[in-house]
Amino acid sequence: MRSFNIIANFIGAALAVEPFLNEPDTGLETYLYGTNWTEGTQPLLKDMRGIPDFDFAARQALNGSEYSFYRTAAGGEWSYRNNLEIWSKVKFRPRQLTDVTKVNETLGVTILGYNFTAPIFIAPAARAGYGDPERAELNFVEAAAEENILYTAAIYASKTIEEIAAAKSNSTINGPQVIFQQIYTNANLSVTWDNIQRAEATGAKALVWTIDAPSSSTRHRAARYDTTNANSVTSALTWDIYDQMKNHTNLPIIPKGISTVEDALLALEKGVKAIYISNHGGRQVDHSPSALEIAYEIRRNAPQVFTEMEVLADSGVRYGNDVLKLLALGVKAVGLGRSFMYANTYGLEGVTKAIQILKTEIAYDAAQIGIHDVQNISASFLNTRGLEDTVFLLE
């Protein structure tokens, strides 16, 4: 009898574990099988209704090596899973009988003094040429200009810094299009200084310095295809390097990859104008915290960080209400990387549609929650008790 109880408990625990879903089942495949769609071919763009749909579509369009480079994450990919699942630990507290009729007019945001129409941006991600071999990152430039959002160009892009800059529009709400440029610190700093000079020469308005990639990372999925990290050079990443960078540029330097309140406070002490919280989409080290957890840790320990400098974030964002949760914690704008790479398999129209989907979801979900101003969301709209058991607290 005792053995039976042990086995029964084991079976019960096993059944209680929910399988990981890369994309929730919202009926896409069921719908497609009812049309003329053939498995292994890319669905029509009109059938993309949510950001996760683009992941499914990209798997139909890309070969195994290309898709694995975009999709891969570190180790057992537990951080990747956590990035997608953590959102359910924070619930909304919708307020009713609130006038939200003009919420769609409040999506605009200012980042480092530049104006954009929504608190979302295209995050730096390498090798857009896999999705669109001919145009690659040019689709990001043009879609960002058309929708008046920020594009942060990857240093390991398929197109050069100069080619990306040449595609910029001169007729955005900022006048000439504003682009930020990602920078990695190379072991040979002369390469870094040259990249900074090229970014300045082509009109970049800020440098996004990736600080969470001091060496190559363990990525089993990509390794099966011998797909290397975009940045596989071990390099020193210290605040001394930051000081040296400041001597080579007058552009704002945004450290990307801040994961703890301690590093956020150090950045504040250094006079950094903006930080970028991220776990690199779960690609660098497994069991690293999600952007939501990092933002909450900072808010619980040092809320002044969000008022004394600007905070950007990415990693695991798939829905408009993911964006709203980060904004409610104090984040200024939220980036997506993989999702836009997947959308890029449809070219310019795909990237543009992905932006429009997010804008629509942000406005619709904000209204449903009772938020009348997206740029001034009270944290009281969130129930964050689901994060309390694991949040780190400074002594």
Side-chain angles (χ1 to χ4, degrees), residues 16 44 47-48 59 61 146 162 209 243 291 293 307 317 338 343 357 360 374 390-391:
L44 297 175
D47 294 328
M48 300 295 99
R59 287 201 302 277
E146 183 176 337
E162 291 75 17
W209 177 36
D243 291 334
E293 292 166 304
T307 57
V317 176
R338 283 188 184 91
I357 286 172
T360 300
V374 170
T390 57
V391 66

Side-chain angles (χ1 to χ4, degrees), residues 236-250:
L237 290 170
T238 66
W239 284 110
D240 288 340
I241 298 295
Y242 172 79
D243 291 334
Q244 291 184 54
M245 290 176 69
K246 287 179 64 178
N247 291 330
H248 283 81
T249 184
N250 291 320

Side-chain angles (χ1 to χ4, degrees), residues 185-187 189 209 214 234-238 241:
T185 305
N186 195 282
L189 286 176
W209 177 36
T234 300
S235 56
L237 290 170
T238 66
I241 298 295

Side-chain angles (χ1 to χ4, degrees), residues 324-339:
L324 293 172
K325 289 176 181 179
L326 287 169
L327 296 183
L329 290 174
V331 170
K332 194 74 178 290
V334 179
L336 291 85
R338 283 188 184 91
S339 297

Side-chain angles (χ1 to χ4, degrees), residues 255-383:
K256 177 183 182 292
I258 295 289
S259 301
T260 64
V261 63
E262 293 95 333
D263 285 340
L265 288 171
L266 281 172
L268 195 58
E269 291 177 15
K270 281 283 188 179
V272 173
K273 293 183 178 180
I275 60 171
Y276 192 144
I277 61 178
S278 169
N279 70 357
H280 215 112
R283 294 167 76 89
Q284 292 308 104
V285 62
D286 216 353
H287 304 290
S288 55
S290 67
L292 187 68
E293 292 166 304
I294 299 166
Y296 186 62
E297 177 181 310
I298 295 172
R299 186 174 183 86
R300 288 283 273 109
N301 290 279
Q304 71 274 19
V305 165
F306 294 106
T307 57
E308 295 182 22
M309 63 180 168
E310 296 183 11
V311 179
L312 310 180
D314 74 15
S315 297
V317 176
R318 297 294 186 274
Y319 297 94
N321 65 36
D322 297 343
V323 175
L324 293 172
K325 289 176 181 179
L326 287 169
L327 296 183
L329 290 174
V331 170
K332 194 74 178 290
V334 179
L336 291 85
R338 283 188 184 91
S339 297
F340 283 120
M341 301 303 266
Y342 297 148
N344 197 41
T345 60
Y346 287 100
L348 175 60
E349 290 184 351
V351 180
T352 302
K353 181 165 186 178
I355 297 169
Q356 292 171 346
I357 286 172
L358 284 165
K359 284 182 174 181
T360 300
E361 288 188 3
I362 291 169
Y364 282 2
D365 288 352
Q368 291 292 336
I369 298 162
I371 297 168
H372 69 273
D373 184 351
V374 170
Q375 293 310 315
N376 291 284
I377 305 175
S378 169
S380 66
F381 280 104
L382 303 181
N383 178 350

Side-chain angles (χ1 to χ4, degrees), residues 211-229:
I211 62 171
D212 60 356
S215 67
S216 189
S217 57
T218 302
R219 300 176 182 173
H220 296 159
R221 184 183 298 268
R224 301 185 195 287
Y225 297 90
D226 293 325
T227 304
T228 60
N229 297 352

Side-chain angles (χ1 to χ4, degrees), residues 100-134:
V100 295
T101 54
K102 295 184 178 180
V103 67
N104 62 310
E105 299 175 10
T106 70
L107 267 62
V109 66
T110 300
I111 305 173
L112 294 182
Y114 299 103
N115 297 314
F116 303 98
T117 59
I120 55 171
F121 62 92
I122 301 175
R127 304 181 188 176
Y130 288 166
D132 186 336
E134 181 179 347

